[in-house]
Amino acid sequence: MATVAPLGTGTRPYRDYLTPSLHTRFVRASKYTLLLCYAIACWMAEWNSLLWLWFPFGPTGIRTLLLFIPALTIYLLRIGQWHVGSRQTLTRAETFQKYLARKDTIFTLAVHMFSAWLYSEIYTWSSTAADRLSFTELGRAHERLKLNERPLYFRFLFVALAVAQTGVHLWKDYDRINIPAMQPKKLDELAAGSTVKKGPKPRLVLLKQLQPMLITAAGLTLFVTISGTLCYFLGPRQLLWDYYYSFSRNFISLAKTSKPTGLAPFAPLVAKFVVEGTLLVLLWEFANKAFDLYIAQEPLKNDKPITSDSKDPNGTLLNGLKAIKRAVKVMAFWELALITDAFPDRRKTIYAEMERKNAPTFQQVTDICLAEIRLLIDRLNVGLDPTYQPAASSAAPHPAPTLNLVPQISKPIKDDKQVVALPPKPSTKWEQFEAVTSGIAKMHSSSENSQQAYGREAINKGLKKAQEGAQQAESVASTASDKILSSPFGYVFGHSLPRRAKLVVLGAPYSHLSLVCNAITALSNLAAFSITEDQIGRFHNVVPSIIRAFTTAIKKIDAYMSSLQVHRSDKETLAKPEGERKKVPEVDQVRECLQQGLQNILAGFEKYLGGMGMSLLEISDAKKAAASLRQPEMLQTSAAR
């Protein structure tokens, strides 16, 4: 049995091991970004001075460090706002409404504007007199200095470029980090053993993506050049010039005229912005890509799990699995899946540690992973029945004690008497209207009030007209809704079936795909390897719970996907063949993980399940779930068995 460190000794927070690893990756990403800054600094330098061009401590070296600041601001932005998984909303309009007016959005815009402004200043300081980007320019011999409009226009375009890049950043969700969702391997692959399959080295990916990023940067810069120029001349040109002129007069003796001086020669100025704007966007894209590649690397150190250096590795890992911050929790689940898949020595310690506080290590790991699968089942139950209320606790509620405050003064109601319940209260305006009119009708429909026949007829006519009016209003609203949804503007309000399915299956506000799949993989691997590696023989006690959870999750996914109906506004789904409409890759990935994991567990424990407390019906359902393929026409009743 492995020796477990005493409580409070060696069990450190998971972030103490994750944070240094992330810092190391950030330094590596910054190193290659600094090389790009050096290349841009060389481009800005005067080519007639080769000595200063390649001398690292000269103007080029200083310019390189200054250019790294705009890239560093992007890194700081990403560090503060990165999240795991894609955004989950029902419609595009909901995404726009939810993420537009946030503080993070304003901060993203501010960071890009500062980065663009600083880059433009560095280029302006590096320019020569021939570029004509100084604040003033000489007029005639007898005239005072004139304020130069060219740097104002130049800086305006860089600010417009920052706004455009912010829109791209938010639209494409650059703050997202894609953590791999591991899938259980087949039995023959498990038996052969495995090692961690690392992806290509980030620096090679960056080098390969350099050309596509350059093309993207050039396209965005050309768009901003055209749209920004039109906006400048048709919009705030005079207003900006007035503030620019009033501010500059406090420091420079200028001519009395306050009219813009013009941008001639215009073409060379635009060409300079196209080149420098492209390089700036390339720097932004490179920084974002480098951050994504290095942060999404495996949680390993020297080809071992990052918690291996801890005095209590599994205790530290458990702290990560229980972490409140989602990014830390996702990394811990990824490390757990890697441990159960490719590190047999570490995997054996999970079975062997029995003296840990609260519960053995394998029991705590199993409970934490099963909790994620039960959350998946609860989300599916809510999707199938919106009135479903997940159980807050598995413990049976205690009956409230009876308080005898006053003596009984009347006989209790006899059981043989039928008690008539009050009708439910109307909830909508139309139901309230029906209740009122029905009450009036009943009041005037007594046999003693037959003389009120004319009144009752008038009430019935009014009720009929009200119903017709409500139907007409619903028809008009439906027609207007159809017109809006069928227009190009209705694209953002369309109800997409894949969006709805991913929102229910993968959760919100961000996708739980990696979290769920890595939990499934960890449980499947622990169950499969427990036959040969669990020397104490205790893990089999939790196998029935795992099988039940996997079976229920598969059946619920099938039932929910079968119950989905394609909305009339979902043109993309309606354009597909009918057999392909309910195929959502992310949902299918979760189901494949569950099915493969269930197959692996049944292959090792099928003959023992009867003696482990599972009924014949449960075993039969598990076999069917493990062997079945999801069909779009499956009935919803398959999950109610």
Side-chain angles (χ1 to χ4, degrees):
M1 182 183 300
T3 303
V4 179
L7 182 63
T9 304
T11 307
R12 298 176 60 184
Y14 187 78
R15 294 187 62 172
D16 289 354
Y17 297 89
L18 179 62
T19 303
S21 177
L22 296 179
H23 286 171
T24 303
R25 303 175 198 179
F26 171 72
V27 171
R28 293 174 182 172
S30 301
K31 178 176 64 175
Y32 295 106
T33 307
L34 192 60
L35 290 176
L36 179 61
C37 292
Y38 180 72
I40 298 175
C42 292
W43 174 265
M44 290 183 181
E46 297 183 23
W47 291 94
N48 56 1
S49 179
L50 296 179
L51 176 63
W52 291 112
L53 178 63
W54 300 106
F55 191 58
F57 299 103
T60 303
I62 297 174
R63 193 181 297 111
T64 300
L65 295 178
L66 291 175
L67 286 173
F68 183 69
I69 297 177
L72 183 62
T73 58
I74 300 301
Y75 279 127
L76 296 178
L77 172 68
R78 295 297 306 277
I79 291 173
Q81 297 186 176
W82 72 284
H83 61 83
V84 178
S86 59
R87 296 177 300 208
Q88 300 282 86
T89 52
L90 188 59
T91 62
R92 297 173 181 87
E94 183 181 348
T95 304
F96 183 81
Q97 177 185 5
K98 185 175 182 180
Y99 292 96
L100 178 63
R102 297 191 312 164
K103 293 181 180 179
D104 291 347
T105 302
I106 300 173
F107 182 66
T108 302
L109 177 61
V111 166
H112 281 92
M113 292 182 69
F114 171 77
S115 180
W117 169 80
L118 183 57
Y119 185 95
S120 66
E121 294 301 324
I122 295 171
Y123 178 78
T124 302
W125 299 337
S126 304
S127 62
T128 62
D131 295 327
R132 296 180 58 187
L133 289 176
S134 57
F135 280 98
T136 59
E137 58 182 356
L138 293 175
R140 297 178 182 177
H142 62 279
E143 292 181 350
R144 295 183 180 179
L145 294 175
K146 289 185 177 181
L147 191 62
N148 190 6
E149 186 186 5
R150 292 168 64 85
L152 176 63
Y153 167 77
F154 198 67
R155 291 179 173 88
F156 176 84
L157 289 184
F158 271 101
V159 172
L161 188 63
V163 175
Q165 180 66 20
T166 301
V168 174
H169 185 105
L170 298 173
W171 179 260
K172 294 185 177 180
D173 193 14
Y174 277 5
D175 294 326
R176 178 184 67 232
I177 297 294
N178 292 320
I179 299 299
M182 295 182 61
Q183 187 169 357
K185 297 177 180 178
K186 296 182 179 180
L187 290 177
D188 54 350
E189 296 177 350
L190 288 176
S194 61
T195 57
V196 178
K197 294 182 179 180
K198 297 183 179 180
K201 294 184 178 180
R203 65 173 179 270
L204 299 179
V205 178
L206 287 173
L207 185 62
K208 186 178 180 180
Q209 293 291 325
L210 196 58
Q211 182 179 357
M213 287 190 290
L214 183 61
I215 295 174
T216 301
L220 182 63
T221 305
L222 287 174
F223 170 77
V224 171
T225 302
I226 298 172
S227 59
T229 301
L230 293 175
C231 178
Y232 178 79
F233 284 102
L234 298 178
R237 182 188 183 191
Q238 186 62 48
L239 180 64
L240 291 175
W241 175 262
D242 290 340
Y243 281 105
Y244 184 49
Y245 181 82
S246 300
F247 177 78
S248 301
R249 288 193 64 183
N250 297 324
F251 307 97
I252 306 173
S253 179
L254 299 172
K256 294 183 179 181
T257 178
S258 61
K259 294 182 180 180
T261 56
L263 303 177
F266 183 72
L269 181 62
V270 172
K272 288 181 177 63
F273 172 74
V274 170
V275 173
E276 298 304 324
T278 300
L279 293 177
L280 175 58
V281 177
L282 176 63
L283 183 61
W284 285 336
E285 294 288 335
F286 189 90
N288 281 302
K289 191 65 177 180
F291 187 88
D292 292 341
L293 291 173
Y294 279 97
I295 295 301
Q297 285 186 301
E298 297 83 0
L300 303 176
K301 181 180 179 182
N302 298 325
D303 294 331
K304 294 182 179 180
I306 58 175
T307 55
S308 297
D309 294 339
S310 174
K311 294 181 180 179
D312 182 12
N314 290 335
T316 303
L317 179 60
L318 286 172
N319 288 337
L321 297 174
K322 300 174 183 177
I324 298 176
K325 191 172 182 180
R326 187 169 175 272
V328 177
K329 186 176 183 179
V330 171
M331 285 291 186
F333 268 88
W334 189 12
E335 182 182 356
L336 174 64
L338 289 172
I339 289 172
T340 60
D341 182 74
F343 296 92
D345 294 337
R346 179 71 181 276
R347 183 174 60 231
K348 293 176 182 178
T349 64
I350 297 178
Y351 303 117
E353 293 178 351
M354 306 297 296
E355 300 176 359
R356 189 172 298 279
K357 184 180 179 181
N358 298 327
T361 300
F362 79 87
Q363 183 69 58
Q364 295 190 47
V365 169
T366 302
D367 291 343
I368 294 171
C369 293
L370 283 177
E372 294 298 326
I373 300 175
R374 292 190 179 107
L375 284 176
L376 166 65
I377 295 172
D378 286 339
R379 291 195 298 268
L380 291 166
N381 285 329
V382 174
L384 290 167
D385 181 11
T387 62
Y388 172 79
Q389 295 292 335
S393 176
S394 59
H398 298 283
T402 304
L403 300 179
N404 297 323
L405 299 179
V406 295
Q408 185 173 345
I409 58 177
S410 62
K411 296 182 178 180
I413 299 177
K414 295 182 179 180
D415 294 338
D416 57 351
K417 297 288 184 179
Q418 183 178 5
V419 180
V420 180
L422 294 175
K425 294 183 179 180
S427 57
T428 64
K429 292 183 178 180
W430 177 244
E431 291 176 351
Q432 293 175 357
F433 179 79
E434 284 187 336
V436 173
T437 53
S438 298
I440 296 174
K442 290 178 181 179
M443 181 179 62
H444 292 279
S445 62
S446 173
S447 57
E448 300 175 358
N449 297 328
S450 57
Q451 67 273 18
Q452 303 292 339
Y454 291 107
R456 292 196 301 271
E457 183 178 359
I459 291 173
N460 292 333
K461 288 182 178 180
L463 181 60
K464 184 177 181 180
K465 289 183 178 180
Q467 292 175 344
E468 292 176 354
Q471 292 175 356
Q472 292 177 359
E474 292 178 357
S475 177
V476 171
S478 177
T479 303
S481 175
D482 290 340
K483 290 182 178 180
I484 293 175
L485 294 175
S486 61
S487 66
F489 182 72
Y491 172 78
V492 297
F493 298 99
H495 290 261
S496 170
L497 185 144
R499 279 177 169 266
R500 191 157 68 249
K502 289 189 289 185
L503 185 65
V504 172
V505 177
L506 305 180
Y510 303 112
S511 172
H512 292 67
L513 178 62
S514 63
L515 199 64
V516 173
C517 287
N518 289 335
I520 295 169
T521 301
L523 289 176
S524 172
N525 291 338
L526 288 173
F529 286 109
S530 66
I531 298 176
T532 57
E533 296 181 358
D534 183 13
Q535 301 297 329
I536 302 177
R538 294 284 300 276
F539 190 85
H540 69 274
N541 294 330
V542 299
V543 169
S545 299
I546 298 174
I547 294 176
R548 293 187 184 103
F550 282 20
T551 304
T552 303
I554 292 173
K555 293 164 64 177
K556 292 293 182 181
I557 289 176
D558 291 342
Y560 176 71
M561 295 303 296
S562 300
S563 68
L564 283 178
Q565 300 296 326
V566 183
H567 196 266
R568 63 180 184 275
S569 63
D570 191 0
K571 297 181 180 180
E572 295 179 2
T573 304
L574 290 173
K576 298 179 182 178
E578 189 169 355
E580 302 288 332
R581 291 179 179 177
K582 294 187 179 182
K583 290 185 178 181
V584 182
E586 293 83 355
V587 175
D588 291 342
Q589 185 176 353
V590 173
R591 191 188 185 282
E592 289 172 4
C593 284
L594 288 165
Q595 190 175 29
Q596 185 61 54
L598 188 56
Q599 289 176 0
N600 294 347
I601 298 173
L602 290 178
F605 289 91
E606 180 179 350
K607 61 180 70 174
Y608 309 112
L609 294 179
M612 296 167 66
M614 293 191 68
S615 64
L616 294 177
L617 180 60
E618 290 177 329
I619 298 173
S620 176
D621 286 345
K623 291 180 180 179
K624 291 179 181 178
S628 65
L629 295 175
R630 184 174 66 83
Q631 300 293 336
E633 64 273 7
M634 288 181 64
L635 298 176
Q636 182 177 348
T637 54
S638 62
R641 293 179 55 186

